[in-house]
Amino acid sequence: MSEPDTTPTGTLRTPIVAVLGHVDHGKTSLLDTIRGSAVSEGEAGAITQHIGATAVPLETISGMAGSLVDPDDFDLPGLLFIDTPGHHSFSTLRSRGGALADIAILVVDVNDGFQPQTIEAIDILKRTGTPFVVAANKIDTTPGWNPQENTPIQQSYEAQSSRARSMLDENLYEIIGDLSDNGFSADLYWRVQNFQKNVGVVPASAMTGEGVPDLLAVLMGLSQRYMKDEMQIDVAGPGAGTVLEVKEERGFGTTLDVVLYDGTVREGETVVVGGKSDPIVTEVRALLRPRPNAEIRTEKRFERVDAVTAASGVKIAAPDLEDAMAGAPVRVVRDRPVDEVVAEVERELAEIEVETSEEGVVVKADTLGSLEAMANALDEAEVPILRAEVGDVAPRDVAVASTAKEPKHAVILAFNVDVLKNAAEELETSDVRLFDDDVIYQLVEEYEAYVDEMERAQQETILDKIVRPCRFRVLEDHVFRQSNPAVVGVEVMSGTLKNNQYVVKWDGNETTRVGQLNGIQEQGDDVSEARAGTRVSVAIDGPTVGRQIDEGDELWIDLPEKHAKILEQELSSEIPADELEALQSYLDKHRRRDPFWGK
C-alpha cells in the first residue's frame, strides 16, 4: 500500500476548478493542455491524477505561467481541476448547499461565440454564484495567426499581424457583448480592476498553449485574493465530499467517485452516503487513486492509499453502495453519533427535494443537481412533476407515466441518462412519449412545443364539433322557393355559416327556431360552409317565406348554451374577430333576459 496522501498544506485546501462550456468548444483539450504542459515541465509528479480530478501544484503552475505567477505571492497549494463530462452534471453538484466548484472556467470558441450550452452554463454559474473566468479558446484558428507556443497572450498578441489582431478583437468584443447580454460586465482580463464586479476574458488556445499561462495566473490570483477564507479547513477533521459518479469496478463491486472538499477520509472509517431512499451507512473498504501514467497496467489501474485529504478526488470502495446517487453528500462519521451524521445528510438531501404533484410528468436526470435544475426549469414553465428521480429510464417510469389522466402528462423528460433496453421496448407499445436532451432548457422547450401542438390539435377537434356563431340576412328579391324547403339568397354578416345547423330569429330577447339548414350553394356549387362577407343561396327546412321568415330578415344560427360557454371561455383566441363579434352580440341579447346565460 502506498503512503497516505496527506501532504501538509498548512490548513489551506486547494481550490476546486470546474471547466464548463458548449460541446466542441474545447473543454477537454484545455484540460489536456494544462495536464500535458504540467507533465512536459519535466516532473512526472508535477500533477497528480485523482479520480475525476487533476491536481496541479503551485510550483508546476508557476513553471507553466512563468513571470505571471511568483510562488512567493501565494499560500494556496495549487488548483484541483474537476474532469466531469459536461457542465450540467457538474455545476449543480453541491457542497453543503453551494456549488461544488469554488471557481469555474467557461470555455467559449472564439469563432462560434455563445451557444445554447454556453448560456445554460452561465445560468448555472449565476444561480450558484460561482465566480468564473472566460477562456476565449481557439485563437490559433484566426486567419493569418502566427502561433507562439505556450506564451502569455499579450506577448503572443504583439507578434501577430494587424489583420489577425483586428479579426480576433472583433470576435472577443462579441463575446464581451454576449456576456453583457447575460447580465455580466466583462473585459479582457488585463483591463479588469475588480474581478468581483467584472468577468475577465482570457484569449487562449488549447492547441498551442497560448494564453494558458494567463488562465492559470488569473485562477490563482482570484482564488488567493477572494477565496482564501473559504479555503481554510481543518485538514484532520472528518471528511466531507460529493459523489461525482457511481460505478461498477471489477474486483471492488459498486464504487463511488468522490470529490472530497473538507477534512480527511481513512480506510476502515464509517461513512454516510446519500441514497435513493435513505442515507446509506457503510464502511470504507478501500480508498483508490489512479496509478501514475507510467505504471498503469489494466489489471492494476488503482493503487490503494490509507487516507485522503481535501481537496482531492478519490474512489471509495465499500459495501451496499448500489443505491448511492451521483450528486449526493458523503460524510465521515468519526467521533460523532451515526444518527447525527445521517440527519445531516438527510437535511442536505431535503434541500434538493423536488416538489411533486398528484398529476404531472416523470423526470429522470443523471445527478441530484441536474434533477434540481430540471425541476427549477419546469417550475418556471409551470409544468407539474409527478415523479423525479436520478437514474436511467426504467420500465416502472413508463408504467408511472402511463397512468397520467391528461395525455400531455404521459411523458418522460430524460436529462443526460440512458433508456434501459426493457424500458425502450415498453415505450414502443405504450402511449408514453419520451423526450431526451442534454441541454435542460432545450428539453423543456421541446416538451412545451409538443404540448402546444397537442392543445392546438385538440382545439381544432373541438372547434370542428362545436356549433359556430353566425348572423346572416335574407336578401331582397332572392327568394327562389317559398317552402319545403325554402330556398333564399343570404349575405353572411359575421361568423361562419355551416350546413345542418338550426336557424333562429330574435324576437325581443327571445329566440324562435325557424328551421334547419339543409344545403348551401355558392355560385351553383354545393359548399359545407360560408364565411362573413360572402353571398350564398341556402335551403332551410321548416319555414315558409312570407310567414316565419321574410326578405330582409336577420337570422342567426341557434347556438346551444354549452357551446357558447366553451367558445367564450376556452376558444375565443382561436376564432376570427367577426365570429367573436357575432358570439358577443348573441350572448349580450340572451344576457339581457338571463344575466348568467352561457356562464
Side-chain angles (χ1 to χ4, degrees):
M1 222 184 255
S2 66
E3 283 302 295
D5 187 358
T6 47
T7 356
T9 55
T11 53
L12 288 182
R13 74 160 170 82
T14 318
I16 298 170
V17 186
V19 184
L20 322 181
H22 191 72
V23 187
D24 301 336
H25 279 199
K27 301 188 295 278
T28 314
S29 340
L30 196 63
L31 267 173
D32 288 346
T33 305
I34 292 170
R35 287 193 203 112
S37 320
V39 172
S40 68
E41 281 302 304
E43 303 286 317
I47 60 163
T48 319
Q49 262 312 120
H50 293 232
I51 295 286
T54 304
V56 185
L58 179 60
E59 292 65 46
T60 309
I61 289 171
S62 167
M64 289 161 70
S67 59
L68 297 179
V69 175
D70 178 349
D72 297 344
D73 295 343
F74 295 93
D75 41 18
L76 287 171
L79 297 169
L80 182 77
F81 290 90
I82 295 225
D83 316 347
T84 54
H87 61 259
H88 39 255
S89 53
F90 165 81
S91 42
T92 46
L93 290 175
R94 323 153 136 258
S95 61
R96 298 208 173 117
L100 177 57
D102 300 301
I103 189 166
I105 304 172
L106 179 64
V107 183
V108 183
D109 179 332
V110 78
N111 306 298
D112 238 4
F114 273 37
Q115 294 298 318
Q117 282 173 312
T118 321
I119 295 164
E120 188 165 55
I122 278 218
D123 284 345
I124 293 170
L125 292 168
K126 215 184 276 182
R127 202 167 55 236
T128 52
T130 309
F132 66 100
V133 292
V134 172
N137 192 25
K138 306 195 184 182
I139 57 171
D140 59 297
T141 59
T142 306
W145 191 260
N146 174 15
Q148 315 287 307
E149 302 277 320
N150 302 326
T151 54
I153 186 59
Q154 282 172 286
Q155 195 178 316
S156 173
Y157 185 83
E158 293 304 317
Q160 306 305 323
S161 68
S162 59
R163 183 162 171 273
R165 272 190 282 194
S166 73
M167 287 175 88
L168 177 62
D169 289 347
E170 204 172 303
N171 284 342
L172 290 171
Y173 285 115
E174 198 145 312
I175 290 175
I176 290 169
D178 283 338
L179 282 160
S180 159
D181 292 346
N182 283 275
F184 290 96
S185 161
D187 207 340
L188 296 168
Y189 89 89
W190 54 88
R191 296 194 187 133
V192 172
Q193 298 295 309
N194 179 347
F195 278 91
Q196 277 180 304
K197 292 199 174 131
N198 297 290
V199 172
V201 176
V202 183
S205 161
M207 297 315 287
T208 64
E210 290 164 286
V212 171
D214 310 65
L215 200 52
L216 293 167
V218 173
L219 289 170
M220 279 308 291
L222 274 176
S223 307
Q224 175 77 20
R225 185 144 178 212
Y226 300 117
M227 293 180 209
K228 208 168 148 184
D229 295 350
E230 292 166 38
M231 297 303 115
Q232 301 208 342
I233 59 165
D234 172 7
V235 174
T242 299
V243 178
L244 282 183
E245 277 190 80
V246 182
K247 279 188 186 155
E248 285 295 316
E249 213 62 70
R250 209 169 83 215
F252 294 104
T254 310
T255 64
L256 306 179
D257 290 0
V258 171
V259 169
L260 194 71
Y261 57 80
D262 200 348
T264 298
V265 57
R266 304 191 183 100
E267 194 170 300
E269 284 197 300
T270 301
V271 291
V272 178
V273 183
K276 286 182 182 167
S277 38
D278 299 306
I280 300 159
V281 179
T282 184
E283 197 175 287
V284 177
R285 290 254 174 92
L287 294 170
L288 306 166
R289 279 277 170 82
R291 289 180 171 269
N293 285 351
E295 301 172 25
I296 287 191
R297 304 275 178 280
T298 35
E299 70 282 6
K300 293 223 174 126
R301 288 170 46 210
F302 307 109
E303 57 183 349
R304 289 175 71 160
V305 289
D306 290 337
V308 173
T309 298
S312 54
V314 62
K315 185 180 276 294
I316 296 179
D320 308 323
L321 293 176
E322 292 71 26
D323 278 348
M325 285 189 292
V330 179
R331 298 280 178 274
V332 172
V333 175
R334 205 158 298 163
D335 37 24
R336 300 174 289 170
V338 171
D339 297 354
E340 207 175 277
V341 183
V342 167
E344 187 183 309
V345 168
E346 277 175 341
R347 268 196 308 279
E348 197 165 317
L349 287 172
E351 282 180 23
I352 319 173
E353 284 276 272
V354 172
E355 279 213 14
T356 54
S357 6
E358 293 290 303
E359 172 79 358
V361 298
V362 173
V363 178
K364 298 297 294 242
D366 58 345
T367 69
L368 277 173
S370 44
L371 195 64
E372 185 183 33
M374 274 290 296
N376 288 340
L378 288 169
D379 184 44
E380 278 170 30
E382 295 181 352
V383 176
I385 297 171
L386 173 66
R387 173 184 279 179
E389 289 180 338
V390 170
D392 292 334
V393 176
R396 73 193 183 105
D397 298 314
V398 182
V400 170
S402 65
T403 62
K405 293 184 190 70
E406 291 190 45
K408 68 176 180 185
H409 292 149
V411 297
I412 298 172
L413 301 182
F415 174 71
N416 217 37
V417 291
D418 293 328
V419 178
L420 300 176
K421 187 167 175 285
N422 43 3
E425 288 162 5
E426 295 206 6
L427 276 167
E428 281 183 19
T429 55
S430 81
D431 291 334
V432 174
R433 180 79 184 265
L434 173 76
F435 290 87
D436 56 349
D437 205 304
D438 56 4
V439 179
I440 287 175
Y441 79 81
Q442 283 184 348
L443 190 56
V444 176
E445 277 177 5
E446 280 168 39
Y447 173 65
E448 286 184 308
Y450 165 73
V451 171
D452 286 348
E453 184 51 48
M454 181 183 266
E455 286 178 350
R456 195 174 305 114
Q458 278 172 344
Q459 286 185 338
E460 280 170 11
T461 313
I462 294 169
L463 268 177
D464 279 345
K465 289 180 181 161
I466 221 158
V467 174
R468 308 277 280 273
C470 180
R471 178 168 67 95
F472 56 105
R473 193 175 73 81
V474 180
L475 296 167
E476 286 82 356
D477 302 328
H478 279 74
V479 177
F480 307 115
R481 183 168 172 171
Q482 273 184 300
S483 61
N484 285 335
V487 179
V488 292
V490 299
E491 180 176 6
V492 183
M493 316 296 288
S494 56
T496 306
L497 187 65
K498 284 192 162 194
N499 206 4
N500 304 320
Q501 310 287 14
Y502 290 110
V503 178
V504 294
K505 196 171 165 181
W506 283 96
D507 187 5
N509 296 331
E510 297 282 351
T511 56
T512 310
R513 186 177 284 185
V514 295
Q516 186 177 16
L517 276 182
N518 175 3
I520 307 173
Q521 280 200 339
E522 191 172 8
Q523 294 171 342
D525 292 328
D526 286 333
V527 291
S528 59
E529 61 176 52
R531 285 283 297 119
T534 53
R535 290 184 163 203
V536 289
S537 59
V538 295
I540 308 173
D541 271 335
T544 300
V545 180
R547 285 159 100 180
Q548 290 84 358
I549 60 171
D550 235 320
E551 295 179 31
D553 274 356
E554 185 174 277
L555 301 176
W556 292 74
I557 290 298
D558 185 10
L559 200 54
E561 186 173 6
K562 188 178 163 197
H563 291 207
K565 181 178 178 178
I566 292 173
L567 280 165
E568 183 184 35
Q569 294 178 7
E570 293 174 31
L571 298 172
S572 58
S573 60
E574 301 293 316
I575 59 178
D578 63 283
E579 202 166 300
L580 201 54
E581 179 199 324
L583 171 69
Q584 220 42 66
S585 158
Y586 194 84
L587 288 168
D588 291 347
K589 284 174 185 281
H590 268 298
R591 285 173 185 167
R592 281 190 211 125
R593 178 179 47 79
D594 170 3
F596 295 103
W597 196 88
K599 284 194 171 175

